[in-house]
Amino acid sequence: MVNDGRTAGAAGTSTGDADSGSTGSAGTDSAGARSAGTGSDSTLRQAVGWPEVSVVMPCLNEAGSVGICVSKALAGLSAAGVAGEVLVVDNGSTDGSAAVATAAGARVVAESRRGYGNAYLAGFAAARGRFLVMGDSDDTYDFADLGALLAPLRAGQADYVLGSRFAGEILPGAMPWLHRYVGNPVLTGILNRLFDVRSSDAHSGMRAFTTDAYRRMRLRCEGMELASELVIAAGRADLRIEEVPITYHPRVGASKLHSLRDGWRHLRFMLLLAPRHLFVLPGLVLLGLGAAGQLALLPGSLDLGFHRLDLHFSVLFALFTVLGWQLVLLGVFADVHNHAAGWQERRRWPLTSVHRHFTLERGLALGAVLFTAGLAIDGFVLARWLANAMGPLNELRPALLAMSLMVLGAQTAFGSFFLRLVTAGPSGGHGRSGWAPAAAAGAGAATGAAPTGGSPWPVGGSATPGTDQATEGDAAAPGLPRSGAAAVPDETAAPTGKAAIRGLSGDRSSADAPAPAGPPGTPLGIPAHQH
């Protein structure tokens, strides 16, 4: 992933007073907040008057409903007895939605780049609260009942809370039949199966989580896929997850969803993050079926009673063999790419075994063995043909097996060169197969030392050394290679210089401030895009 250049705190241009939409004390500028001392996150937030909860709503031409949602959210915060703010992210509205939201008491942040994910990531970057609540501004979600969503977070029982429409109530007319009985259940079931999570409503638009959980999830999707990414990332980061039932209401105004297009985007996103299921497992099935079929037909045709398998099936099994191995190799390459980008799967067998034992030399040796075996079979066929005075030749089955073995050998050898290149580089200076030792990766975090050339505290994990267990694939400190991807530049590491400063006020001018100097544990705000 390429960093989109959004600097910390530069999620958008604030169009309201800094205190607008807050039910707590007046806001304090981020520079003063960062110099407030060495206390804990919550203590520091109380000291500078930051709200406990930030309710973030994306908005695109929602003038008829955004004011209602803001009022309900402020009422919900008050009823829950928490100091909070309502932050509306205007994603290019042309109907005066921003003015309506400001009048209702929200703080408005402008995000010019269109997209559901872009809007939310901008809002999270500008949020000041210790807890983040997300929900649409079309009046489909009841913000008046925020207390139930926040209760597990405030009690320390969960890091991430999902408001489940299917565990709660879906009012008549709130959700189309196709979405309720086909789209959402099918996509949620696929997500649960591919990523080993348990969610009853993976595409709910109402959720809450802590700022630390947000950093650990390392979200980056800019479109509708963010809904799926939240569930996947929460499971990948081993967050404590709870679901609470919510009521889903009919929306105000026309829906912006496109059933087939947006459904395909979610499915595509999930498949690309699951190379084990997309490539490797189907490839192994085809490879095993093809190899077994060719060996069974090598002596001659096979009579199954109801049908005789002959030469045409030998050709088909040869195709299965070659295609299956190609899929396996593509799965390994895809897994290396996803691992480098921080998209690793939780359960990755047999990919973990491949990565653990792979070296270029072993790959070349395996390729050579396969190619030589195929060449030997072709040599045997040639010898029989010469012994028959170069007469009629009927050795197509062994020739197909020889071809399959030689293609597999060549694929393995050249694939090993490519895998070596993307994991360890041509010089091999990044460590064997690109896998950094765990001790080295965790050295910076264990000692609390600031990584070279980076921010003095990590983004994407706990701000306090020793309080957060790094998830698989997360770099312990910027500049160190992420496990499984040493040759790939770590673009998810904390940015340096101007990019390291992302103020909680959402004011873009903070991007020009000097790099903060403070101990780990001082809150810096949340990066809008962690590419």
Side-chain angles (χ1 to χ4, degrees), residues 427-475:
S427 67
H430 297 286
R432 185 182 70 80
S433 299
W435 271 257
T447 60
T452 304
S455 170
W457 43 81
V459 174
S462 173
T464 305
T467 61
D468 179 39
Q469 298 298 322
T471 59
E472 180 188 5
D474 287 346

Side-chain angles (χ1 to χ4, degrees), residues 37 122 325 382 460:
W325 188 239
L382 176 61

Side-chain angles (χ1 to χ4, degrees), residues 154-231:
R154 300 184 72 200
Q157 299 172 350
D159 306 306
Y160 173 100
V161 179
L162 183 142
S164 175
R165 301 166 295 181
F166 290 91
E169 183 180 6
I170 301 175
L171 297 181
M175 186 181 294
W177 182 91
L178 182 64
H179 294 184
R180 183 170 184 174
Y181 297 105
V182 180
N184 275 296
V186 168
L187 289 175
T188 297
I190 293 174
L191 188 148
N192 288 339
R193 179 67 184 89
L194 293 183
F195 300 98
D196 194 27
V197 296
R198 297 292 178 267
S199 176
S200 65
D201 188 6
H203 300 97
S204 170
M206 193 170 198
R207 319 178 194 215
F209 35 84
T210 65
T211 54
D212 180 66
Y214 175 76
R215 292 186 180 96
R216 289 167 61 186
M217 287 189 287
R218 305 168 71 105
L219 304 174
R220 66 196 73 183
C221 283
E222 300 180 352
M224 291 298 299
E225 299 88 346
L226 182 74
S228 297
E229 184 191 15
L230 277 161
V231 180

Side-chain angles (χ1 to χ4, degrees), residues 276 280-281 284 325 328 331-332 335-336 339 345-360 362-363 366 419 432-433 435 472 483-484:
R276 188 171 75 104
V280 178
L281 297 183
L284 289 175
W325 188 239
V328 171
V332 173
D335 182 68
V336 168
H339 211 87
E345 294 181 84
R346 299 177 74 188
R347 295 188 306 165
R348 297 167 55 243
W349 182 92
L351 292 167
T352 48
S353 299
V354 173
H355 294 324
R356 186 180 301 115
H357 300 295
F358 169 78
T359 64
L360 173 60
R362 288 175 179 172
L366 176 60
L419 189 58
R432 185 182 70 80
S433 299
W435 271 257
E472 180 188 5
S483 175

